[in-house]
Amino acid sequence: MIDHTYQLVFIGAVLFLFAVFASIVSRRLGAPLLLIFLLLGMLAGEDGIGGIQFDDVEAAFLIGNLALAIIIFDGGLGTRMDTFRSSLRPALSLATVGVLLTAGITGAAASYILDLPWQEGLLIGAIVGSTDAAAVFGLIKNAGLNLKERTGATLEIESGSNDPMAIFLTITLVEVLSSPAGLSGWLLLVELVQQIGLGIIFGVIGGYIIPAALKKVTLPVSLYPLMVFAAALTLFGGTSSIGGSGFLAIYIAGVMIGTTSFLYMNDIRRFHDGIAWLSQIGMFLILGLLVTPSLLPPIIVPALIIAFVLIFIARPLAVAVSLIPFHFPWRDQLFVSWCGLRGAVPVILALFPSLVGLEHARTYFELVFFVVLTSLVLQGWTIAPMARWLKVDLPVSLKLPSFRSTHLPSNPHKDLVVYQVVASSRTIGKLILQLALPDGAQVVALIRDEIPLKSEGEILKEGDQVVIVATTGMAEKLAEVFSPALSRISSKISSNFFGDFSIRPSSSLGDLASLYGFAIPDELKDITIGEHLTAKFRGRPVVGDAQEFPPVKLIVKEIKNGEISLIGLKLNQDSP
């Protein structure tokens, strides 16, 4: 027994090591990392070279739920509150209306293709109805994509908040199929409201209580991340046990905790980022072990057809309908549609029929697994090229420089923030005294080659670290001071994306039309270019938004304080 235990530890550790080093292969091949984890699990399984027999559905369900909760909480910690506010409504529409439409269309196709009763077809549709937070968060991060703010934020919030609807639909249909008496429509509505309502209520409560507790208690530094970890799982388990959506609760709490100004918040984020990776590896390895590849061939053809309907029909239609009120540009819509990746959530939901003993439970699981595999291969492998083709990926050099901040224990309203002067930063060559710092911010130190210098008379150089004391919440605004100057971005990146010319938003659209010889309606001739682009994008333009007036294209190049401050002008190649 003891030897067997050590063998299990050894095998598990080896699998994890292989999964960690697989990230190198994934990066070189451009393959989705989650797909690599899944394939490793299958190779270690009973049909693979490992020969490990694993068919414990309850253990897989438990591990999968815990891992998903941790991943979703980590995603919440990394979501900025201003981004959350700007994209909340379209994301919620996708998480509710979008999931319903996707499940309905895919379920109808599954019922027809497999010749199943409509309830069983809808069950398959519900299981694959939601996008997967682990897949979306992981692939966007690993691909190094710098998505337009509107697109990236919508995808992150949708994938973190759409599980309640899919879980509700799956549980409801499982109960309908396992209960001869069925369920009334009123009870279904009550259950839905309960899931979402309790998830929101307890998520907000947890989002207030956990940060307040962090500031009140005194612990060894290494225990603060563990305290947050335990509190988050307590929130998840408690909310789920009383009929609410634990996934929604833990995501909302994560967003609120992530915006808290706390001395050890960077340590908390790093710890949860590592735990989230551990959870992804463990979850996909377990799900890979659970699959028996030799049983898949009979369902490959119907699974491919269902996957085709899901990816090319159901998801695009659901996105188009869900985003009608928000007037998303077509490129953004198409990319959001293509990023409807299926991952661990559908595979875990596919375990529900097995847990209650439905007749075709094994078929559901194998079918859903192959649909997920198809989604990861087709969509996951092409997510980066698709982002660049649709032009929703901004040049990486436009990202704000990273920084580290810590809360001043002596003053709850002040942060100590460290910025690094990156290549092409607009601060290079300037004196410290020349930095345009907002009120409430002051440079307290300059570090060069790990040596503190007297900051007043020094000229900033690449690699310098500038230490600033600033009012809490000002860190991201200060990052703009150290961001790369547009004039310093490589000419190739700049001209390819924004064009060779920059114009001020106060320029007249009518004057521009006269200069370049394109026609515009009379009512647009007297307004500025900035006013026109702001109105076109419903008062919420983001960097990268564009409109064409052949032979020119206008691209939002810079935004300050929520308003357009610079516009790129790109000429068609055939234009004089």
Side-chain angles (χ1 to χ4, degrees):
M1 180 63 183
I2 295 176
D3 289 341
H4 180 65
T5 300
Y6 291 146
Q7 288 172 5
L8 289 177
V9 171
F10 173 75
I11 292 170
V14 168
L15 283 175
F16 270 89
L17 276 175
F18 272 117
V20 170
F21 285 110
S23 62
I24 301 171
V25 178
S26 169
R27 194 175 296 113
R28 289 181 178 176
L29 297 178
L33 192 52
L34 303 184
L35 177 63
I36 302 293
F37 296 160
L38 205 59
L39 293 177
L40 275 174
M42 294 172 67
L43 284 172
E46 57 184 300
D47 282 353
I49 57 177
I52 300 172
Q53 291 190 350
F54 178 80
D55 57 3
D56 192 336
V57 174
E58 292 185 2
F61 185 76
L62 174 62
I63 293 169
N65 272 273
L66 284 174
L68 275 177
I70 293 166
I71 293 163
I72 290 173
F73 181 67
D74 180 62
L77 284 176
T79 303
R80 292 181 292 129
M81 185 59 81
D82 56 343
T83 299
F84 189 82
R85 288 171 181 155
S86 66
S87 299
L88 179 61
R89 291 186 297 164
L92 287 183
S93 180
L94 286 167
T96 51
V97 177
V99 171
L100 281 170
L101 289 174
T102 302
I105 296 170
T106 308
S111 177
Y112 177 77
I113 293 165
L114 300 171
D115 194 23
L116 293 172
W118 67 267
Q119 295 97 329
E120 295 188 43
L122 283 180
L123 175 59
I124 294 172
I127 290 172
V128 298
S130 69
T131 58
D132 187 79
V136 174
F137 292 154
L139 283 172
I140 289 176
K141 186 182 295 184
N142 292 336
L145 295 176
N146 182 26
L147 298 177
K148 289 165 64 176
E149 183 178 341
R150 179 192 303 110
T151 308
T154 299
L155 281 170
E156 288 188 11
I157 298 170
E158 178 211 3
S159 63
S161 60
N162 65 4
D163 295 323
M165 180 61 75
I167 292 169
F168 163 75
L169 291 174
T170 301
I171 292 175
T172 300
L173 287 162
V174 166
E175 289 178 354
V176 167
L177 289 168
S178 61
S179 172
L183 299 172
S184 70
W186 172 250
L187 288 176
L188 295 180
L189 180 61
V190 169
E191 188 171 342
L192 175 61
V193 172
Q194 176 179 302
Q195 281 269 331
I196 297 176
L198 291 178
I200 293 173
I201 291 169
F202 282 96
V204 172
I205 292 173
Y208 277 111
I209 291 178
I210 297 173
L214 280 174
K215 295 177 180 179
K216 292 289 184 182
V217 300
T218 302
L219 296 170
V221 175
S222 57
L223 288 185
Y224 284 108
L226 290 175
M227 172 189 166
V228 173
F229 178 71
L233 288 183
T234 301
L235 176 65
F236 169 73
T239 306
S240 300
S241 64
I242 60 173
S245 171
F247 294 110
L248 183 57
I250 205 171
Y251 179 72
I252 293 172
V255 172
M256 295 176 69
I257 295 168
T259 59
T260 301
S261 177
F262 179 64
L263 181 62
Y264 304 113
M265 187 52 69
N266 286 332
D267 297 316
I268 291 170
R269 288 196 182 96
R270 281 193 290 269
F271 171 82
H272 282 88
D273 192 44
I275 290 295
W277 272 110
L278 180 68
S279 300
Q280 288 190 53
I281 294 172
M283 177 173 59
F284 277 86
L285 287 176
I286 288 293
L287 293 177
L289 285 173
L290 199 60
V291 174
T292 307
S294 60
L295 299 178
L296 294 179
I299 56 90
I300 288 178
V301 173
L304 283 173
I305 298 173
I306 292 170
F308 178 89
V309 172
L310 172 66
I311 295 169
F312 294 101
I313 300 175
R315 172 69 177 178
L317 283 175
V319 168
V321 172
S322 301
L323 296 181
I324 284 175
F326 309 105
H327 306 279
F328 265 49
W330 71 268
R331 292 178 184 274
D332 298 55
Q333 283 197 40
L334 193 55
F335 186 73
V336 169
S337 171
W338 192 249
C339 279
L341 284 104
R342 271 58 195 172
V345 174
V347 181
I348 291 170
L349 291 182
L351 298 176
F352 273 103
S354 297
L355 292 173
V356 298
L358 289 185
E359 182 181 355
H360 300 113
R362 189 71 197 183
T363 302
Y364 299 146
F365 179 79
E366 292 163 358
L367 186 77
V368 168
F369 180 85
F370 202 86
V371 169
V372 168
L373 201 62
T374 305
S375 174
L376 286 174
V377 170
L378 181 60
Q379 294 172 289
W381 220 307
T382 58
I383 190 171
M386 186 67 74
R388 297 182 184 106
W389 179 63
L390 291 172
K391 299 178 181 178
V392 297
D393 180 35
L394 302 178
V396 175
S397 51
L398 291 180
K399 287 183 178 179
L400 291 179
S402 59
F403 57 86
R404 292 189 177 184
S405 65
T406 186
H407 187 62
L408 286 180
S410 59
N411 189 338
H413 305 295
K414 291 288 184 178
D415 288 341
L416 190 69
V417 195
V418 182
Y419 298 93
Q420 183 162 357
V421 180
V422 297
S424 76
S425 170
R426 65 184 76 198
T427 60
I428 292 177
K430 287 185 177 182
L431 292 168
I432 291 289
L433 296 174
Q434 293 176 310
L435 296 181
L437 300 180
D439 293 338
Q442 180 180 354
V443 176
V444 294
L446 172 65
I447 301 172
R448 179 176 298 157
D449 298 327
E450 301 183 3
I451 300 173
L453 303 175
K454 292 182 178 180
S455 58
E456 292 83 359
E458 291 291 336
I459 294 176
L460 289 172
K461 299 179 181 180
E462 181 183 343
D464 286 352
Q465 291 182 311
V466 182
V467 185
I468 297 177
V469 171
T471 303
T472 298
M474 193 182 285
E476 287 194 9
K477 185 177 180 180
L478 279 169
E480 296 179 4
V481 175
F482 296 88
S483 64
L486 291 174
S487 60
R488 292 175 183 259
I489 298 174
S490 77
S491 58
K492 184 176 180 181
I493 294 176
S494 181
S495 61
N496 282 348
F497 194 87
F498 293 108
D500 296 312
F501 307 101
S502 295
I503 54 178
R504 295 293 172 188
S506 56
S507 305
S508 166
L509 188 59
D511 291 344
L512 190 72
S514 299
L515 181 63
Y516 285 97
F518 59 85
I520 58 172
D522 291 339
E523 61 268 20
L524 297 182
K525 290 182 178 179
D526 296 327
I527 69 170
T528 67
I529 301 172
E531 289 170 344
H532 172 67
L533 289 176
T534 300
K536 174 175 175 57
F537 295 102
R538 307 288 167 175
R540 293 181 181 235
V542 297
V543 172
D545 279 343
Q547 183 177 15
E548 291 195 51
F549 290 102
V552 304
K553 183 178 183 180
L554 302 174
I555 308 116
V556 177
K557 194 171 186 177
E558 186 178 76
I559 288 188
K560 289 184 178 178
N561 300 322
E563 295 184 357
I564 300 173
S565 56
L566 201 62
I567 296 168
L569 188 148
K570 189 173 185 179
L571 291 171
N572 292 340
Q573 292 182 350
D574 298 332
S575 302

